[in-house]
Amino acid sequence: MSESQMSDSKFNRLFLIMIIAMSVLTIILMVLASFASSDVNEELDAQSDLENTQAVAERISPVGEFAATTVASAPTAVIADLTGAEAYAPCAACHASGAAGAPIVGDATTWANRLTKGAETLYSNAINGIGAMPAKGGMNLSDNTVKAAVDYMLENSK
Ligand code: HEC
């Protein structure tokens, strides 16, 4: 082997070692980079999730609102008969406090006076409205529910 051949093979070996070393370095850098970016990627994912949710909410909102109003108005139209206590709950807005001059539930004298008209009259006045009181108290209730509420009010005003 000549001098120059020796140095060629030496160079080749060195060159090979350097290529391997650089490949290893590249892999290490790639791994480090992916570690460093994983936090950022998670944040970006979370942010784009949030943006997507908002965008979807915005896009469907007119439909959602429409659905909400349909759902909200549907049950009141077909509202089932309620028990006296349940039925009285919306009436309490006026009849617990005496708002607008409503006879207060629990006031035996007032209700005894009203009852002299007869229960049927009280029912029909509650259903059709009387004075400052709107028909059915302004609620969309069945006649039976209003009657149950009147009974409950009378029962609790003795
Ligand atoms: C917006 C307030 C208001 C609400 C809500 C309301 N009432 Fe009245 N209610 C009144 C007022 C005011 C009177 C007195 C009216 C009058 O005698 O001039 C009255 C009177 C009555 C009377 C006596 C009627 C009579 O002939 O003397 C009954 C019975 C009655 N309400 C039942 C109910 C029932 C049942 C509900 C719930 C479904 C209800 N009210 C909800 C305001 C209200």
Side-chain angles (χ1 to χ4, degrees):
M1 272 192 213
S2 72
E3 274 277 312
S4 77
Q5 271 177 328
M6 278 288 281
S7 81
D8 265 3
S9 79
K10 225 177 173 181
F11 172 79
N12 282 345
R13 227 178 37 217
L14 208 79
F15 192 69
L16 192 67
I17 289 169
M18 272 184 65
I19 287 185
I20 290 170
M22 280 165 73
S23 306
V24 169
L25 187 70
T26 307
I27 290 166
I28 289 172
L29 285 177
M30 280 167 70
V31 170
L32 284 180
S34 84
F35 273 135
S37 64
S38 66
D39 275 359
V40 180
N41 280 340
E42 267 166 33
E43 270 171 41
L44 285 177
D45 280 353
Q47 198 180 338
S48 75
D49 274 357
L50 189 70
E51 276 163 11
N52 282 344
T53 319
Q54 283 166 350
V56 168
E58 262 166 41
R59 256 179 270 136
I60 67 164
S61 70
V63 178
E65 274 161 30
F66 174 73
T69 48
T70 355
V71 169
S73 58
T76 49
V78 291
I79 198 154
D81 291 346
L82 303 172
T83 67
E86 289 167 341
Y88 169 66
C91 318
C94 296
H95 284 278
S97 62
I104 297 176
V105 171
D107 185 339
T109 321
T110 304
W111 283 102
N113 287 339
R114 299 249 172 198
L115 199 52
T116 57
K117 294 188 252 183
E120 286 304 322
T121 310
L122 292 189
Y123 291 152
S124 76
N125 284 344
I127 290 166
N128 301 313
I130 172 173
M133 176 176 159
K136 297 180 176 178
M139 254 77 57
N140 196 351
L141 304 170
S142 71
D143 288 3
N144 281 339
T145 297
V146 176
K147 285 182 187 175
V150 174
D151 287 343
Y152 178 88
M153 288 158 79
L154 291 170
E155 197 56 39
N156 286 277
S157 305
K158 284 179 175 170

